[in-house]
Amino acid sequence: MENMFNLKGKVALITGASYGIGFAIAKAFAQAGATIVFNDIKQEFVDKGLASYEAEGIKAHGYVCDVTDEDAVNALVATVEKEVGVIDILVNNAGIIKRIPMHEMTAAEFRQVIDVDLNAPFICAKAVIPSMIKKGGGKIINICSMMSELGRETVSAYAAAKGGLKMLTRNIASEYGEYNIQCNGIGPGYIATPQTAPLRERQADGSRHPFDSFIIAKTPAARWGNPEDLAGPAVFLASEASNFVNGHVLYVDGGILAYIGKQPK
């Protein structure tokens, strides 16, 4: 059973994994035996990421790359194959969100979110698939979202991108399953990261932030998720344990999508 979840000898590329969810997933992969490769858009972010991995005792390989630039991604993959090895596992983690009411959002802002959250996973997957086919298989994990299923105020572009990413996940599975390539998604719930910290701060009177209260009330687990909550699901989808799981989105959300919410008092 332990061997089913063993990633020893595997090369894993996790995009945007200098911190947060991507870092937690990469750390779990390293603990399972994988060699870690990550990118970020600026050298300073890569350097900070390398320092964080080193502090955890992980020898990671960091590169500067804009995942929306197809030529840059192709060059990154070629460099990784030369310096580290063929990529066995790709996690499309890099992403952005712009919280703007739809009627106030410009087309350029909408396109930017689509470019990072949907076009980039297409570009990265396209870049690694040929070598996965030659090697006899591979794993692609797309970081989807509850917005792959639900809408919400101010996130029209993000929801459109993540809904599209769910269908891209299914189509990659459909098109390349015969080559022993499994493409699945992880849909995180609300995760406690530095980006969401302001939404969890106690108010001056000691009460919860209104959004914090909203999430706790909507989550059967009655808490925010931690990045580490994604570690087990990610290792499962990256390992041989999931060899017959394809085109699936695994929601790690504490039960939000299964729950209608509490009745108002």
Side-chain angles (χ1 to χ4, degrees):
M1 181 59 69
E2 288 182 3
N3 288 337
M4 291 179 66
F5 295 90
N6 193 332
L7 302 182
K8 188 175 181 179
K10 303 295 185 181
V11 175
L13 168 61
I14 305 95
T15 66
S18 297
Y19 60 92
I21 288 173
F23 181 82
I25 289 173
K27 180 180 174 182
F29 284 177
Q31 290 170 343
T35 299
I36 302 304
V37 179
F38 74 99
N39 79 292
D40 217 314
I41 198 165
K42 293 181 179 180
Q43 186 65 51
E44 61 184 285
F45 298 148
V46 172
D47 291 342
K48 287 180 181 178
L50 288 170
S52 296
Y53 285 107
E54 186 176 355
E56 295 285 346
I58 298 169
K59 185 180 188 293
H61 303 264
Y63 299 88
V64 176
C65 180
D66 178 353
V67 289
T68 67
D69 183 334
E70 186 170 12
D71 290 339
V73 170
N74 289 337
L76 169 66
V77 170
T79 300
V80 172
E81 289 187 356
K82 180 180 179 181
E83 296 181 356
V84 186
V86 172
I87 296 164
D88 301 285
I89 303 160
L90 167 67
V91 181
N92 282 310
N93 167 74
I96 62 170
I97 187 168
K98 289 182 180 291
R99 295 181 176 89
I100 305 170
M102 181 175 165
H103 70 283
E104 297 177 3
M105 177 175 257
T106 66
E109 289 169 330
F110 188 92
R111 289 191 189 101
Q112 184 185 9
V113 175
I114 298 295
D115 205 21
V116 177
D117 293 355
L118 181 57
N119 289 343
F122 162 79
I123 290 168
C124 292
K126 178 186 174 187
V128 302
I129 283 172
S131 290
M132 286 183 174
I133 291 174
K134 290 179 183 177
K135 194 168 183 178
K139 303 281 187 174
I140 299 173
I141 302 171
N142 293 324
I143 302 302
C144 296
S145 167
M146 288 188 300
M147 299 302 107
S148 299
E149 302 289 343
L150 301 172
R152 200 173 170 272
E153 300 87 350
T154 75
V155 294
S156 58
Y158 184 80
K162 293 299 186 176
L165 187 57
K166 175 182 71 174
M167 293 311 301
L168 178 63
T169 299
R170 291 177 176 176
N171 206 80
I172 293 172
S174 301
E175 196 164 354
Y176 297 100
E178 66 178 293
Y179 299 102
N180 191 33
I181 294 172
Q182 291 84 50
C183 180
N184 294 289
I186 292 177
Y190 285 90
I191 306 297
T193 64
Q195 286 76 14
T196 60
L199 300 174
R200 291 177 282 108
E201 288 180 353
R202 290 283 177 170
Q203 305 298 286
D205 63 0
S207 64
R208 290 182 180 275
H209 187 289
F211 191 78
D212 186 18
S213 297
F214 168 70
I215 294 304
I216 297 301
K218 291 291 291 182
T219 308
R223 67 173 178 87
W224 288 65
N226 297 309
E228 292 73 24
D229 288 319
L230 301 168
V235 170
F236 164 65
L237 292 178
S239 71
E240 292 184 3
S242 62
N243 279 354
F244 205 57
V245 179
N246 213 358
H248 176 72
V249 179
L250 175 54
Y251 289 99
V252 186
D253 65 355
I256 290 179
L257 288 174
Y259 186 44
I260 195 171
K262 293 181 180 179
Q263 180 178 333
K265 295 181 179 179

